[in-house]
Amino acid sequence: MDEMLSLARNLVNVQEDERRIIARELHDRIGQSLTVLKLLLNEAMNLPSDKAGATLGEAQSLVNELMSLVRYLSLELRPKMLDDLGLLPALLYLFESYTSHTHINVRFEHYGLHRKFPPEIGIAAYRIVQEALNNVALHAGVSEVKVLAWSDRKVLFIRIEDLGKGFNLTGANNNNGLNNIQGRAMLVEGKLTVQSAPGKGTVINAELPVITRIRKETAGKSDDNRNTGR
Ligand SMILES: Nc1ncnc2c1ncn2[C@@H]1O[C@H](COP(=O)(O)OP(=O)(O)O)[C@@H](O)[C@H]1O
Ligand SMILES: [Mg+2]
């Protein structure tokens, strides 16, 4: 019970941390860029039309930056693609955006992912991959990461592997990232293990049951309603 309580507390903390980061990005980066954009447009309006080109060009590249930032933030908040298209397209899109931001190449191998997973399994899988990839970018110091995902009728396996710096597992981890994804796996009755050692790289293995107990209990009764809404 204590474990559940601290798990719940952790998840709430993580959510608040994520919100704080997004609020800051919204305020600082988007707010500031919009202010600059307004100034540039003002300037362009006051210039003779044959002189305004350069200023407008600057404004346009700022708009492009803003668009990619908004796309990134909405992906962080809730990967809409996961609900609309499923896990595989959402992961592919995540990898594309990750590589373009970090210049870290993702080697992805998968099997049996062309199917619909229960929403709670999809989001758990997605968040696990997302956190593991963010850790690789922040801590591993590598230019490539390997992601494996495969599923049979019962289980979805995920493995994220890098050959980077690694770290000491016995050091107390008061950070929230790894605790959070461990909690997410537990909440859907799955398992998540981390293997790492200094200089030896890091491997995260997750095993998520495709049919959770909650689903089994309601299966049959509400099975047909599963995809009709939330
Ligand atoms: N792929 C990795 N390579 C090297 N070190 C890692 C990796 N993943 C995690 N770590 C180490 O484990 C610590 C805890 O990770 P995490 O719980 O995600 O917290 P955070 O990323 O916020 O520091 C990190 O601070 C880092 O030292
Ligand atoms: Mg982290």
Side-chain angles (χ1 to χ4, degrees):
M1 211 52 225
D2 274 358
E3 200 178 355
M4 285 311 279
L5 205 64
S6 85
L7 185 66
R9 234 176 247 140
N10 262 331
L11 281 176
V12 171
N13 282 340
V14 169
Q15 268 181 355
E16 283 306 317
D17 284 352
E18 283 171 357
R19 285 184 188 161
R20 196 173 306 125
I21 290 169
I22 288 162
R24 197 191 304 135
E25 295 260 315
L26 278 174
H27 178 268
D28 292 1
R29 294 183 54 193
I30 296 192
Q32 198 174 49
S33 297
L34 284 172
T35 309
V36 174
L37 190 59
K38 191 174 161 186
L39 292 174
L40 285 171
L41 291 176
N42 267 341
E43 192 183 313
M45 276 198 309
N46 293 324
L47 286 170
S49 56
D50 58 325
K51 297 258 164 64
T55 310
L56 286 174
E58 241 181 280
Q60 191 175 43
S61 68
L62 203 53
V63 169
N64 287 339
E65 244 173 70
L66 274 166
M67 282 168 68
S68 113
L69 190 59
V70 167
R71 227 178 283 132
Y72 169 76
L73 285 178
S74 81
L75 200 67
E76 280 283 303
L77 274 176
R78 176 74 197 185
K80 187 173 180 304
M81 234 180 218
L82 197 56
D83 302 321
D84 297 350
L85 301 174
L87 182 60
L88 183 58
L91 286 178
L92 291 173
Y93 188 71
L94 172 68
F95 298 154
E96 198 187 301
S97 141
Y98 176 78
T99 301
S100 81
H101 268 88
T102 63
H103 304 290
I104 296 171
N105 191 29
V106 180
R107 272 176 55 203
F108 181 42
E109 283 171 31
H110 60 90
Y111 177 82
L113 290 200
H114 291 280
R115 51 167 294 178
K116 223 171 158 54
F117 294 100
E120 70 273 21
I121 300 298
I123 190 75
Y126 185 90
R127 292 295 186 207
I128 288 167
V129 173
Q130 190 177 34
E131 173 61 26
L133 287 184
N134 285 342
N135 277 349
V136 170
L138 285 172
H139 311 298
V142 288
S143 57
E144 183 174 279
V145 55
K146 200 159 131 189
V147 178
L148 302 172
W150 68 102
S151 157
D152 59 19
R153 239 164 32 84
K154 292 187 176 155
V155 186
L156 169 62
F157 295 95
I158 298 164
R159 183 180 173 95
I160 304 101
E161 205 177 326
D162 72 72
L163 297 172
K165 287 181 194 149
F167 63 105
N168 201 336
L169 284 170
T170 52
N173 179 13
N174 295 318
N175 306 27
N176 273 323
L178 290 174
N179 287 338
N180 176 32
I181 56 175
Q182 211 128 32
R184 281 185 187 273
M186 256 180 72
L187 284 177
V188 295
E189 299 170 47
K191 285 189 284 232
L192 185 142
T193 58
V194 184
Q195 293 161 260
S196 192
K200 295 264 156 67
T202 302
V203 181
I204 291 180
N205 272 302
E207 196 180 318
L208 310 174
V210 171
I211 302 179
T212 61
R213 195 188 306 144
I214 310 154
R215 295 232 151 224
K216 277 183 224 148
E217 277 163 11
T218 52
K221 276 183 262 169
S222 59
D223 219 22
D224 294 340
N225 298 330
R226 192 182 292 172
N227 294 322
T228 53
R230 271 171 274 163

PDB file of all heavy atoms in Angstrom, residues 38-56:
ATOM      1  N   LYS A  38       5.829  40.553 -33.760  1.00  0.00           N
ATOM      2  CA  LYS A  38       5.024  41.765 -33.847  1.00  0.00           C
ATOM      3  C   LYS A  38       5.896  42.975 -34.202  1.00  0.00           C
ATOM      4  O   LYS A  38       5.541  43.785 -35.066  1.00  0.00           O
ATOM      5  CB  LYS A  38       4.324  41.992 -32.506  1.00  0.00           C
ATOM      6  CG  LYS A  38       3.264  43.053 -32.550  1.00  0.00           C
ATOM      7  CD  LYS A  38       2.535  43.115 -31.235  1.00  0.00           C
ATOM      8  CE  LYS A  38       1.823  44.453 -31.121  1.00  0.00           C
ATOM      9  NZ  LYS A  38       1.222  44.620 -29.807  1.00  0.00           N
ATOM     10  N   LEU A  39       7.069  43.042 -33.564  1.00  0.00           N
ATOM     11  CA  LEU A  39       7.992  44.146 -33.849  1.00  0.00           C
ATOM     12  C   LEU A  39       8.450  44.111 -35.310  1.00  0.00           C
ATOM     13  O   LEU A  39       8.508  45.151 -35.982  1.00  0.00           O
ATOM     14  CB  LEU A  39       9.209  44.080 -32.922  1.00  0.00           C
ATOM     15  CG  LEU A  39       8.944  44.358 -31.437  1.00  0.00           C
ATOM     16  CD1 LEU A  39      10.197  44.123 -30.607  1.00  0.00           C
ATOM     17  CD2 LEU A  39       8.428  45.790 -31.244  1.00  0.00           C
ATOM     18  N   LEU A  40       8.778  42.904 -35.777  1.00  0.00           N
ATOM     19  CA  LEU A  40       9.245  42.766 -37.160  1.00  0.00           C
ATOM     20  C   LEU A  40       8.165  43.204 -38.143  1.00  0.00           C
ATOM     21  O   LEU A  40       8.440  43.894 -39.130  1.00  0.00           O
ATOM     22  CB  LEU A  40       9.643  41.312 -37.447  1.00  0.00           C
ATOM     23  CG  LEU A  40      10.968  40.823 -36.855  1.00  0.00           C
ATOM     24  CD1 LEU A  40      11.122  39.316 -37.036  1.00  0.00           C
ATOM     25  CD2 LEU A  40      12.144  41.570 -37.489  1.00  0.00           C
ATOM     26  N   LEU A  41       6.929  42.808 -37.862  1.00  0.00           N
ATOM     27  CA  LEU A  41       5.843  43.167 -38.765  1.00  0.00           C
ATOM     28  C   LEU A  41       5.588  44.671 -38.746  1.00  0.00           C
ATOM     29  O   LEU A  41       5.349  45.288 -39.785  1.00  0.00           O
ATOM     30  CB  LEU A  41       4.564  42.395 -38.401  1.00  0.00           C
ATOM     31  CG  LEU A  41       4.623  40.886 -38.686  1.00  0.00           C
ATOM     32  CD1 LEU A  41       3.366  40.190 -38.204  1.00  0.00           C
ATOM     33  CD2 LEU A  41       4.846  40.608 -40.173  1.00  0.00           C
ATOM     34  N   ASN A  42       5.679  45.263 -37.561  1.00  0.00           N
ATOM     35  CA  ASN A  42       5.557  46.725 -37.452  1.00  0.00           C
ATOM     36  C   ASN A  42       6.604  47.423 -38.302  1.00  0.00           C
ATOM     37  O   ASN A  42       6.312  48.367 -39.043  1.00  0.00           O
ATOM     38  CB  ASN A  42       5.757  47.162 -35.999  1.00  0.00           C
ATOM     39  CG  ASN A  42       4.432  47.263 -35.270  1.00  0.00           C
ATOM     40  OD1 ASN A  42       3.379  47.359 -35.909  1.00  0.00           O
ATOM     41  ND2 ASN A  42       4.485  47.214 -33.954  1.00  0.00           N
ATOM     42  N   GLU A  43       7.837  46.921 -38.152  1.00  0.00           N
ATOM     43  CA  GLU A  43       8.961  47.502 -38.881  1.00  0.00           C
ATOM     44  C   GLU A  43       8.717  47.405 -40.380  1.00  0.00           C
ATOM     45  O   GLU A  43       8.885  48.371 -41.126  1.00  0.00           O
ATOM     46  CB  GLU A  43      10.227  46.745 -38.490  1.00  0.00           C
ATOM     47  CG  GLU A  43      11.511  47.389 -38.916  1.00  0.00           C
ATOM     48  CD  GLU A  43      12.702  46.486 -38.536  1.00  0.00           C
ATOM     49  OE1 GLU A  43      12.738  46.006 -37.380  1.00  0.00           O
ATOM     50  OE2 GLU A  43      13.559  46.248 -39.412  1.00  0.00           O
ATOM     51  N   ALA A  44       8.282  46.213 -40.819  1.00  0.00           N
ATOM     52  CA  ALA A  44       8.053  45.992 -42.251  1.00  0.00           C
ATOM     53  C   ALA A  44       6.968  46.930 -42.781  1.00  0.00           C
ATOM     54  O   ALA A  44       7.060  47.441 -43.904  1.00  0.00           O
ATOM     55  CB  ALA A  44       7.670  44.540 -42.497  1.00  0.00           C
ATOM     56  N   MET A  45       5.951  47.183 -41.965  1.00  0.00           N
ATOM     57  CA  MET A  45       4.862  48.058 -42.404  1.00  0.00           C
ATOM     58  C   MET A  45       5.322  49.486 -42.622  1.00  0.00           C
ATOM     59  O   MET A  45       4.776  50.208 -43.445  1.00  0.00           O
ATOM     60  CB  MET A  45       3.730  48.034 -41.369  1.00  0.00           C
ATOM     61  CG  MET A  45       2.801  46.856 -41.573  1.00  0.00           C
ATOM     62  SD  MET A  45       1.218  47.048 -40.758  1.00  0.00           S
ATOM     63  CE  MET A  45       1.651  47.485 -39.117  1.00  0.00           C
ATOM     64  N   ASN A  46       6.335  49.883 -41.827  1.00  0.00           N
ATOM     65  CA  ASN A  46       6.815  51.259 -41.929  1.00  0.00           C
ATOM     66  C   ASN A  46       7.894  51.452 -42.980  1.00  0.00           C
ATOM     67  O   ASN A  46       8.370  52.560 -43.190  1.00  0.00           O
ATOM     68  CB  ASN A  46       7.316  51.738 -40.568  1.00  0.00           C
ATOM     69  CG  ASN A  46       6.173  51.867 -39.581  1.00  0.00           C
ATOM     70  OD1 ASN A  46       5.061  52.247 -39.973  1.00  0.00           O
ATOM     71  ND2 ASN A  46       6.420  51.521 -38.336  1.00  0.00           N
ATOM     72  N   LEU A  47       8.296  50.348 -43.611  1.00  0.00           N
ATOM     73  CA  LEU A  47       9.327  50.452 -44.645  1.00  0.00           C
ATOM     74  C   LEU A  47       8.677  50.578 -46.010  1.00  0.00           C
ATOM     75  O   LEU A  47       7.571  50.087 -46.229  1.00  0.00           O
ATOM     76  CB  LEU A  47      10.200  49.190 -44.635  1.00  0.00           C
ATOM     77  CG  LEU A  47      11.220  49.016 -43.503  1.00  0.00           C
ATOM     78  CD1 LEU A  47      11.798  47.607 -43.537  1.00  0.00           C
ATOM     79  CD2 LEU A  47      12.319  50.069 -43.612  1.00  0.00           C
ATOM     80  N   PRO A  48       9.362  51.239 -46.950  1.00  0.00           N
ATOM     81  CA  PRO A  48       8.856  51.222 -48.317  1.00  0.00           C
ATOM     82  C   PRO A  48       8.823  49.779 -48.818  1.00  0.00           C
ATOM     83  O   PRO A  48       9.691  48.982 -48.441  1.00  0.00           O
ATOM     84  CB  PRO A  48       9.877  52.059 -49.096  1.00  0.00           C
ATOM     85  CG  PRO A  48      11.037  52.275 -48.187  1.00  0.00           C
ATOM     86  CD  PRO A  48      10.593  52.016 -46.794  1.00  0.00           C
ATOM     87  N   SER A  49       7.850  49.441 -49.640  1.00  0.00           N
ATOM     88  CA  SER A  49       7.613  48.023 -49.921  1.00  0.00           C
ATOM     89  C   SER A  49       8.821  47.329 -50.553  1.00  0.00           C
ATOM     90  O   SER A  49       9.024  46.134 -50.360  1.00  0.00           O
ATOM     91  CB  SER A  49       6.368  47.843 -50.786  1.00  0.00           C
ATOM     92  OG  SER A  49       6.523  48.600 -51.961  1.00  0.00           O
ATOM     93  N   ASP A  50       9.673  48.069 -51.274  1.00  0.00           N
ATOM     94  CA  ASP A  50      10.845  47.403 -51.866  1.00  0.00           C
ATOM     95  C   ASP A  50      11.946  47.134 -50.842  1.00  0.00           C
ATOM     96  O   ASP A  50      12.906  46.427 -51.109  1.00  0.00           O
ATOM     97  CB  ASP A  50      11.390  48.239 -53.039  1.00  0.00           C
ATOM     98  CG  ASP A  50      11.777  49.641 -52.591  1.00  0.00           C
ATOM     99  OD1 ASP A  50      11.091  50.183 -51.702  1.00  0.00           O
ATOM    100  OD2 ASP A  50      12.770  50.188 -53.108  1.00  0.00           O
ATOM    101  N   LYS A  51      11.798  47.672 -49.620  1.00  0.00           N
ATOM    102  CA  LYS A  51      12.824  47.459 -48.591  1.00  0.00           C
ATOM    103  C   LYS A  51      12.373  46.452 -47.527  1.00  0.00           C
ATOM    104  O   LYS A  51      13.117  46.106 -46.614  1.00  0.00           O
ATOM    105  CB  LYS A  51      13.152  48.791 -47.888  1.00  0.00           C
ATOM    106  CG  LYS A  51      13.739  49.852 -48.804  1.00  0.00           C
ATOM    107  CD  LYS A  51      15.255  49.929 -48.596  1.00  0.00           C
ATOM    108  CE  LYS A  51      15.965  50.674 -49.714  1.00  0.00           C
ATOM    109  NZ  LYS A  51      15.559  52.104 -49.792  1.00  0.00           N
ATOM    110  N   ALA A  52      11.111  46.055 -47.616  1.00  0.00           N
ATOM    111  CA  ALA A  52      10.532  45.267 -46.513  1.00  0.00           C
ATOM    112  C   ALA A  52      10.882  43.783 -46.586  1.00  0.00           C
ATOM    113  O   ALA A  52      10.710  43.056 -45.614  1.00  0.00           O
ATOM    114  CB  ALA A  52       9.018  45.443 -46.488  1.00  0.00           C
ATOM    115  N   GLY A  53      11.406  43.361 -47.738  1.00  0.00           N
ATOM    116  CA  GLY A  53      11.627  41.923 -47.978  1.00  0.00           C
ATOM    117  C   GLY A  53      12.428  41.218 -46.896  1.00  0.00           C
ATOM    118  O   GLY A  53      12.015  40.167 -46.384  1.00  0.00           O
ATOM    119  N   ALA A  54      13.560  41.789 -46.507  1.00  0.00           N
ATOM    120  CA  ALA A  54      14.445  41.130 -45.537  1.00  0.00           C
ATOM    121  C   ALA A  54      13.743  40.963 -44.194  1.00  0.00           C
ATOM    122  O   ALA A  54      13.802  39.903 -43.565  1.00  0.00           O
ATOM    123  CB  ALA A  54      15.724  41.939 -45.371  1.00  0.00           C
ATOM    124  N   THR A  55      13.059  42.019 -43.772  1.00  0.00           N
ATOM    125  CA  THR A  55      12.361  41.968 -42.487  1.00  0.00           C
ATOM    126  C   THR A  55      11.262  40.909 -42.512  1.00  0.00           C
ATOM    127  O   THR A  55      11.079  40.143 -41.559  1.00  0.00           O
ATOM    128  CB  THR A  55      11.751  43.351 -42.168  1.00  0.00           C
ATOM    129  OG1 THR A  55      12.764  44.333 -42.341  1.00  0.00           O
ATOM    130  CG2 THR A  55      11.239  43.395 -40.744  1.00  0.00           C
ATOM    131  N   LEU A  56      10.536  40.873 -43.636  1.00  0.00           N
ATOM    132  CA  LEU A  56       9.472  39.873 -43.750  1.00  0.00           C
ATOM    133  C   LEU A  56      10.045  38.457 -43.770  1.00  0.00           C
ATOM    134  O   LEU A  56       9.465  37.533 -43.210  1.00  0.00           O
ATOM    135  CB  LEU A  56       8.632  40.116 -45.001  1.00  0.00           C
ATOM    136  CG  LEU A  56       7.673  41.311 -44.899  1.00  0.00           C
ATOM    137  CD1 LEU A  56       6.978  41.567 -46.237  1.00  0.00           C
ATOM    138  CD2 LEU A  56       6.640  41.098 -43.798  1.00  0.00           C
TER     139      LEU A  56
END
